């Protein structure tokens, strides 16, 4: 399978990411997602209101949708798309960010695979989204995977001004490849955010995972 082959090819990068994360004080094992209304979730929300963070969002719910078949960026019919429930989830995520007073820098960068692009455009409006290959899914990257992962590292690590946050809409596997085991396993359900604090000349520090609007099916699809 393309996903598994890409992951195996980047095991050295994964190991390096895990080592960098350890040096940055990131938990060595998978993080438990936090929800609003819990001490952990409310603390992440309060910190995000101040800005200066990167909020890396996995695309919204895709449960019940056909799995990827073509791995071509422009082929919607050959891709796993967000579900009707995912569209509702994405719209609610945008509304909750606004209602909670979490500032978002515009335009929001999003990957071109439709489940990422659609999530961003529903949440923030098409006019407020910048579609970029920098946030490609790993199995759509082909021979550009190293470039895509380098772009992820830069977007996750570049400083963010106080008073706003850099929201990125992408995919789970590149996040694991770059950030290491803290966001592996069940740490990043569909629609959830990895909350990161950029650190100069180092890997970003993971503050937690915020499941702001949990997916109705739990945030996990049945594709391999």
């Amino acid at each position: 399978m393309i996903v598994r082959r890409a992951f195996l090819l980047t095991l050295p990068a994964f190991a390096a990411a895990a080592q960098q994360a350890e040096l940055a004080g990131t938990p060595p094992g998978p993080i438990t997602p936090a929800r609003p209304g819990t001490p952990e979730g409310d603390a992440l929300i309060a910190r995000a209101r101040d800005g200066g963070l990167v909020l890396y969002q996995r695309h919204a719910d895709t449960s019940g949708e056909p799995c990827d078949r073509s791995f071509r960026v422009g082929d919607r019919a050959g891709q796993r798309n967000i579900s009707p429930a995912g569209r509702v989830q994405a719209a609610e995520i945008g509304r909750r960010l606004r209602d909670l007073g979490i500032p978002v820098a515009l335009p929001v960068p999003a990957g071109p695979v439709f489940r990422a692009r659609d999530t961003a455009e529903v949440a923030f409006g098409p006019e407020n989204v910048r579609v970029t290959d920098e946030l490609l899914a790993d199995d759509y990257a082909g021979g550009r995977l190293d470039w895509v992962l380098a772009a992820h590292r830069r977007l996750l690590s570049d400083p963010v001004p106080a008073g706003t946050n850099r929201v990125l809409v992408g995919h789970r596997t590149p996040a694991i490849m770059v950030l290491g085991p803290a966001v592996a396993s069940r740490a990043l359900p569909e629609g959830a955010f990895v909350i990161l604090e950029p650190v100069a000349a180092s890997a970003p520090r993971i503050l937690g995972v915020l499941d702001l609007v949990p997916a109705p099916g739990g945030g996990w699809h049945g594709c391999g």
Side-chain angles (χ1 to χ4, degrees):
M1 182 177 291
I2 293 176
V3 175
R4 295 187 183 276
R5 183 169 70 247
F7 189 80
L8 289 172
L9 286 171
T10 56
L11 279 176
F14 178 83
Q19 184 178 32
Q20 285 182 312
E22 184 177 354
L23 292 173
T26 295
I31 295 170
T32 299
R35 296 184 176 185
T38 67
E40 297 82 4
D42 290 347
L44 289 172
I45 290 168
R47 176 63 186 85
R49 287 195 184 104
D50 294 334
L53 302 180
V54 176
L55 279 56
Y56 182 91
Q57 184 187 13
R58 185 183 180 190
H59 59 77
D61 178 79
T62 63
S63 59
E65 296 298 307
C67 300
D68 287 318
R69 298 176 299 287
S70 74
F71 299 100
R72 294 197 303 271
V73 167
D75 180 15
R76 181 182 286 277
Q79 296 180 20
R80 187 177 90 248
N81 291 282
I82 60 173
S83 64
R87 289 187 171 273
V88 173
Q89 181 193 25
E92 180 66 7
I93 286 168
R95 187 187 70 79
R96 290 295 300 277
L97 288 170
R98 292 188 293 271
D99 290 351
L100 289 168
I102 296 175
V104 175
L106 300 176
V108 171
V113 177
F114 280 109
R115 55 185 175 270
R117 177 177 185 164
D118 290 346
T119 297
E121 291 184 349
V122 171
F124 304 104
E127 70 281 4
N128 294 319
V129 173
R130 177 175 69 87
V131 179
T132 173
D133 283 0
E134 295 169 308
L135 293 168
L136 264 171
D138 55 295
D139 43 5
Y140 284 74
R144 294 192 295 162
L145 181 59
D146 287 344
W147 178 85
V148 168
L149 296 179
H152 275 70
R153 292 187 190 96
R154 178 180 56 78
L155 290 169
L156 294 172
S157 300
D158 281 354
V160 180
T164 193
N165 296 291
R166 179 185 302 127
V167 174
L168 309 169
V169 185
H171 304 265
R172 172 177 177 262
T173 301
I176 297 173
M177 291 176 174
V178 171
L179 297 172
V183 296
S185 187
R186 309 288 280 190
L188 188 57
E190 291 180 323
F193 294 85
V194 186
I195 312 297
L196 303 122
E197 182 178 54
V199 179
S202 180
R205 186 163 70 96
I206 301 176
L207 303 182
V209 173
L210 179 62
D211 200 2
L212 186 62
V213 180
W220 302 99
H221 58 80
C223 302

